Amino acid sequence: MMSEPYFESNRSAAGSIHYPYESMIHSSKEPRCLVEPHWHLYIEILYFLSGSAKVYLGGKSHLLSQGDLILIHSHETHSIYSLDEKVSYIVVKFDPEILYSTSRTILESKYILPFTLAESSSQRVFTDPDIRDTPIPDMIQEIYTEFNDKSFGFELAVRTLICRVFLWFLRQSRHQHWSWEVAHSLNDSEYQMLQKVFEYIDYNYMNDINAQTAARLCNMSYSYFSRRFKAIMGKTFTNYLSYIRITEAEKLLLTTEKSMTEIALEVGFSSSSYFIQQFRQYKDISPRQFRKKGKA
């Protein structure tokens, strides 16, 4: 009997800086449940190196074996059961936010946002014949190697490789006419709403802003705006605003010697104590520890 799915937060090992991506190899030496039903906020790719397994995704069962790949959306419940004595696969997990440039645009959003919606329809399984003669297997292997070797500049290398893999999926879907209508998952009014909100936050995150003002900018009631924003983004307006402020604070922590109070006020937090609490909640590390490790 399958257990109830649980939420898996994207937390790193204790004492290490949280990366918006990670890669590892999972393996099993006997048929068993490898991963209990769960869901998370990041997008996940599984690339099978050996053996075979069943991946339950969104209520459907998929059989995968050596050379196959499966793409798991954000917010999507999934579990994995090995069927052979020797099963291994590369896992690549990443926050959808890394696919965006510094400032979000509607052009980027129409491709990326559908992958944060569990109910969106798209191609999920890519068999060995589908990808064998493409750059995908090598790029997945390279992501794993870069992340685990952590050579100089690996952060840029991993992000670049993930973006290239994502772009391949998008272009391939267009060429092969797979049912991957990412550009039509949201309507024009929703794109326009998001663009207004992104611009509003980008220019005003350092000020005392709120969802009520954002709703008025979009000509929506507060309740309707809040429901639609959370449904599309997977987080509330307030949580998204905090995420942007934390991202800006990271830059200041690593590039300046400003105090916690100065940084907190500069990025829009009302106090240093609230800033520290929010930073730890999002990054699982204090801002002082982040600064120390980032400059080590």
Side-chain angles (χ1 to χ4, degrees):
M1 181 177 178
M2 186 175 292
S3 58
E4 287 295 312
Y6 64 89
F7 170 68
E8 178 183 281
S9 63
N10 192 14
R11 295 186 181 274
S12 57
S16 64
I17 293 178
H18 167 87
Y19 295 105
Y21 42 71
E22 62 179 343
S23 183
M24 72 286 291
I25 291 179
H26 284 177
S27 59
S28 174
K29 295 182 179 180
E30 60 182 359
R32 63 184 179 90
C33 176
L34 288 173
V35 180
E36 294 284 350
H38 70 291
W39 63 276
H40 39 64
L41 300 178
Y42 39 80
I43 296 171
E44 185 170 12
I45 296 172
L46 309 180
Y47 177 67
F48 280 76
L49 301 172
S50 64
S52 60
K54 276 189 177 181
V55 178
Y56 290 88
L57 182 63
K60 296 181 179 180
S61 173
H62 303 276
L63 178 62
L64 288 97
S65 55
Q66 183 175 345
D68 295 341
L69 177 149
I70 189 166
L71 177 65
I72 301 168
H73 287 197
S74 172
H75 296 85
E76 194 160 47
T77 300
H78 55 284
S79 57
I80 306 170
Y81 297 81
S82 62
L83 300 178
D84 297 331
E85 292 185 357
K86 293 183 179 179
V87 174
S88 65
Y89 55 92
I90 295 176
V91 179
V92 176
K93 299 179 180 179
F94 61 93
D95 189 325
E97 301 290 343
I98 74 168
L99 298 171
Y100 288 101
S101 54
T102 304
S103 296
R104 289 180 175 218
T105 68
I106 230 57
L107 293 175
E108 293 173 318
S109 298
K110 71 178 181 180
Y111 299 118
I112 299 166
L113 286 175
F115 293 88
T116 69
L117 304 174
E119 66 269 21
S120 59
S121 175
S122 69
Q123 180 80 15
R124 303 307 177 87
V125 175
F126 302 85
T127 65
D128 178 48
D130 290 334
I131 62 175
R132 184 188 306 149
D133 297 322
T134 75
I136 293 299
D138 286 343
M139 285 196 289
I140 296 296
Q141 293 272 4
E142 193 172 353
I143 290 170
Y144 170 77
T145 300
E146 286 283 357
F147 183 78
N148 288 278
D149 286 354
K150 290 183 172 52
S151 300
F152 180 76
F154 81 94
E155 300 94 338
L156 180 59
V158 172
R159 182 183 183 277
T160 300
L161 285 163
I162 289 173
C163 288
R164 287 180 61 197
V165 169
F166 188 81
L167 177 61
W168 183 90
F169 287 145
L170 288 173
R171 288 180 169 172
Q172 194 68 10
S173 69
R174 183 181 181 90
H175 295 324
Q176 299 297 327
H177 305 291
W178 286 330
S179 58
W180 199 340
E181 299 298 324
V182 295
H184 303 292
S185 295
L186 300 176
N187 61 43
D188 289 342
S189 65
E190 288 172 323
Y191 287 138
Q192 291 169 12
M193 175 196 77
L194 290 172
Q195 188 62 52
K196 288 179 181 179
V197 175
F198 294 159
E199 290 178 355
Y200 172 57
I201 292 177
D202 285 344
Y203 287 106
N204 296 282
Y205 68 85
M206 69 295 297
N207 302 318
D208 183 16
I209 62 177
N210 54 53
Q212 286 87 345
T213 303
R216 288 196 295 271
L217 285 174
C218 299
N219 296 315
M220 295 179 179
S221 69
Y222 167 73
S223 59
Y224 180 75
F225 167 80
S226 298
R227 287 197 306 272
R228 287 308 302 145
F229 188 86
K230 185 174 182 179
I232 294 170
M233 298 298 297
K235 61 187 75 174
T236 65
F237 174 88
T238 300
N239 288 338
Y240 178 71
L241 174 60
S242 292
Y243 168 82
I244 295 299
R245 286 172 170 169
I246 292 298
T247 300
E248 294 300 319
E250 285 181 316
K251 300 174 187 176
L252 295 175
L253 286 166
L254 296 179
T255 60
T256 75
E257 298 301 325
K258 293 181 178 181
S259 68
M260 295 300 119
T261 299
E262 289 174 319
I263 291 176
L265 297 177
E266 187 167 331
V267 300
F269 288 105
S270 57
S271 67
S272 60
S273 59
Y274 184 57
F275 161 59
I276 292 170
Q277 181 264 323
Q278 287 288 292
F279 194 97
R280 186 182 291 276
Q281 178 179 322
Y282 276 81
K283 298 296 179 180
D284 201 32
I285 189 173
S286 74
R288 292 187 188 280
Q289 290 172 315
F290 180 89
R291 170 178 272 173
K292 182 178 179 180
K293 290 181 177 293
K295 292 185 175 183

